Amino acid sequence: VGSGKFSYFMLKALDEMKDVCDFPFKNIVYVMTDFTKSNYNFWLNHPTLKPYFESGRLDAGIFDAVSDNTITLQRSGIVLQRNSIKNPICIVANYLFDTLYHDIFQIDHGVLKEGLVSVGSLNIVEPDPLDPEIINRLDNHYRYDPITPDYYGSEDGDEAYLRRILKWYQNHFQNSTLGASILLPIGALRALRNLCSFSNNRCIIISGDKGNNNPEQFTGLMDPHIAVHGSFSLMVNYHAIGAWFTNKGGFALHNPQEEASLKVGCFVLLGDNDIDTNENVDHLWLGDHIEQYDQERSKYFPFLNQSFHDNMNSFGPNDFFVLQKSLKEDVSHLPLRTVISILKLSDWDPDVFFKFRDIILNQAPNCSLKLKKDLTRGMPNIYRNYYIMDSEKDIAFEIGRYYYGIRDYYTALDYYKTSISTIGEHHVTYHNQGLCYYSLGKLDISLSFFEKAHNMNFEYEKAKSWIAKVKNELLKNNPELATKSSENDTIVIDEIETVTTSFNNLKSLE
């Protein structure tokens, strides 16, 4: 799960479905898993997730996706294990499979070969073999040895299904002069086998990752590309994952889009099956047979088919990613109305708002009243969708800047206060609050915030300038204070500090 951000959006989506679907949503328990305790502690203490944990609708557990076959839920104490769940389960694997184990195979002139890798470093000598920086100096060498399709001898009942998958690739590329290079995501399949066993193999899986689902993409003899990014990952072979589900009596729904950095697939198992695993009938699983089985079985789930088509094939997550990226990078003068459209298409996503915030802040003050109303209506939704992760992306602060720009100073102040309470104090946030109070004509209060900003950062020149400006205006507006100033400058400062102190006392009572 990682940060838990994706899970938060899933939980929100389930909440929104309550009023439109005749389904006992209160009985659904969403389970977050990861293999580190630190992530679990982060979820448990996250203010956005806390209500879900407390209601019992959210639980979490430590789970090694490859080796564990049970999950102990930390809140309820329930142990999820083989056949422990009566109802079907939904498994969501978001950018998981690319980091699990993969086996390497090649089809070279019809011969099936396994890939063996020797891992080394570009440096001749590594003083510390445990240095994590070695990952950036990996120097891998590959060797390919002939094998037979019954390569997997002990896979907890999956031996026949894996044999048929390898046979399918060998048969498909047997006449290819170019050969083929195949990654088989064995780590993902082992994780899925363990998870699906919890509900007696009645489940639906939604997975998104970098990868391929068209076997023609595997044409050619080449070593696998390993992406290094703090850890390392490989492209996910969703075609093989789909074939595994189909072999076990289920079916796969694939997005046929070729040019996609994010591939999303949906896979279904219907329970224990009576599939004949005898090797004598392996020929029934070659060629187009797997695709035909998928089509025949998926016909019994028309709503799922239509939903996948609408949300993945017609316009999916990758299409949205390409669209918003192009608008940001390829269009030099993007009008505000286009930004509002992409925000609506994203369901008022905070990350999209943050990406286009400069355009919004620059154009909103002078846009038409209708456009301003359309944008302002969506602003609360942006913050409701905000999942706090770090101080680098302070959405409340940016929304406050928007409201200040359209001269809604009271709402701007509300968001600046939210920024301080959630992300923490910052001299610019205090300075901006000072600007709001100044614009409202509350000079004494504005002065206190400019002074707070200055006290936090003595080098912040804007705060210094505004402190001098506001003090001068306070003197002009108060002749009695000005007279005292000519007699004793200290009296003036004492008077102003008294006003500031009074405000601070009032603030503590709010």
Side-chain angles (χ1 to χ4, degrees), residues 117-124 126 129 131-142 224-234:
V117 58
S118 296
V119 180
S121 168
L122 292 172
N123 291 351
I124 297 175
E126 287 287 357
D131 179 8
E133 292 300 316
I134 292 178
I135 195 173
N136 297 311
R137 302 187 292 273
L138 286 179
D139 183 28
N140 301 326
H141 297 270
Y142 298 88
H225 170 69
I226 299 178
V228 178
H229 41 74
S231 60
F232 57 86
S233 60
L234 294 145

Side-chain angles (χ1 to χ4, degrees), residues 22-37:
D22 184 15
F23 191 85
F25 284 95
K26 62 178 174 38
N27 295 334
I28 294 178
V29 177
Y30 190 100
V31 177
M32 302 168 66
T33 66
D34 211 310
F35 64 95
T36 61
K37 186 75 173 178

Side-chain angles (χ1 to χ4, degrees), residues 349-361:
D349 185 87
D351 289 325
V352 176
F353 165 74
F354 192 81
K355 182 173 290 187
F356 291 98
R357 68 190 185 282
D358 289 339
I359 295 173
I360 294 171
L361 296 174

Side-chain angles (χ1 to χ4, degrees), residues 334-344 359 363 367 371:
L334 196 65
L336 183 60
R337 63 178 180 274
T338 304
V339 174
I340 294 175
S341 295
I342 197 73
L343 276 170
K344 291 173 68 177
I359 295 173
Q363 296 187 30
C367 71
L371 206 57

Side-chain angles (χ1 to χ4, degrees), residues 87-130:
N87 294 313
I89 62 173
C90 176
I91 300 167
V92 180
N94 184 40
Y95 281 105
L96 169 66
F97 295 157
D98 63 333
T99 58
L100 302 183
Y101 299 151
H102 291 70
D103 284 338
I104 309 167
F105 298 97
Q106 285 190 347
I107 315 295
D108 186 2
H109 291 90
V111 178
L112 177 64
K113 297 181 178 182
E114 68 166 331
L116 303 173
V117 58
S118 296
V119 180
S121 168
L122 292 172
N123 291 351
I124 297 175
V125 177
E126 287 287 357
D128 181 6
L130 298 180

Side-chain angles (χ1 to χ4, degrees), residues 123-273:
N123 291 351
I124 297 175
V125 177
E126 287 287 357
D128 181 6
L130 298 180
D131 179 8
E133 292 300 316
I134 292 178
I135 195 173
N136 297 311
R137 302 187 292 273
L138 286 179
D139 183 28
N140 301 326
H141 297 270
Y142 298 88
R143 188 183 85 227
Y144 296 90
D145 295 341
I147 58 167
T148 59
D150 55 356
Y151 176 81
Y152 293 99
S154 180
E155 285 294 333
D156 198 17
D158 278 353
E159 297 83 6
Y161 309 129
L162 294 171
R163 180 187 71 233
R164 287 173 177 172
I165 292 172
L166 290 178
K167 276 189 177 182
W168 189 96
Y169 287 119
Q170 186 176 22
N171 175 264
H172 186 75
F173 291 104
Q174 65 179 345
N175 297 321
S176 172
T177 57
L178 299 175
S181 302
I182 297 151
L183 285 169
L184 195 144
I186 189 64
L189 296 180
R190 288 169 179 165
L192 288 168
R193 181 173 67 220
N194 290 334
L195 291 169
C196 294
S197 72
F198 294 170
S199 58
N200 196 25
N201 287 329
R202 293 184 301 152
C203 54
I204 179 171
I205 292 85
I206 304 168
S207 176
D209 219 317
K210 61 178 187 178
N212 298 298
N213 55 30
N214 182 352
E216 302 310 318
Q217 298 291 329
F218 309 144
T219 301
L221 299 177
M222 65 199 81
D223 297 330
H225 170 69
I226 299 178
V228 178
H229 41 74
S231 60
F232 57 86
S233 60
L234 294 145
M235 297 290 280
V236 178
N237 181 351
Y238 275 114
H239 175 266
I241 292 175
W244 181 81
F245 276 92
T246 309
N247 268 277
K248 291 171 74 77
F251 63 89
L253 298 176
H254 292 297
N255 180 354
Q257 184 174 351
E258 295 283 349
E259 180 57 43
S261 57
L262 172 65
K263 299 293 287 188
V264 178
C266 181
F267 312 95
V268 175
L269 278 183
L270 306 174
D272 285 342
N273 63 76

Side-chain angles (χ1 to χ4, degrees), residues 434-435 437-438 442-453 463 466-472 474 493 496-497 499-500 503:
L435 293 175
Y437 282 114
Y438 178 85
K442 300 181 179 182
L443 302 187
D444 51 350
I445 299 177
S446 73
L447 177 61
S448 70
F449 279 95
F450 291 134
E451 288 177 336
K452 278 187 178 183
W466 275 95
I467 288 171
K469 175 183 173 62
V470 175
K471 282 184 176 180
N472 286 334
L474 283 170
I493 295 175
I496 293 173
E497 288 181 346
V499 172
T500 304
F503 165 68

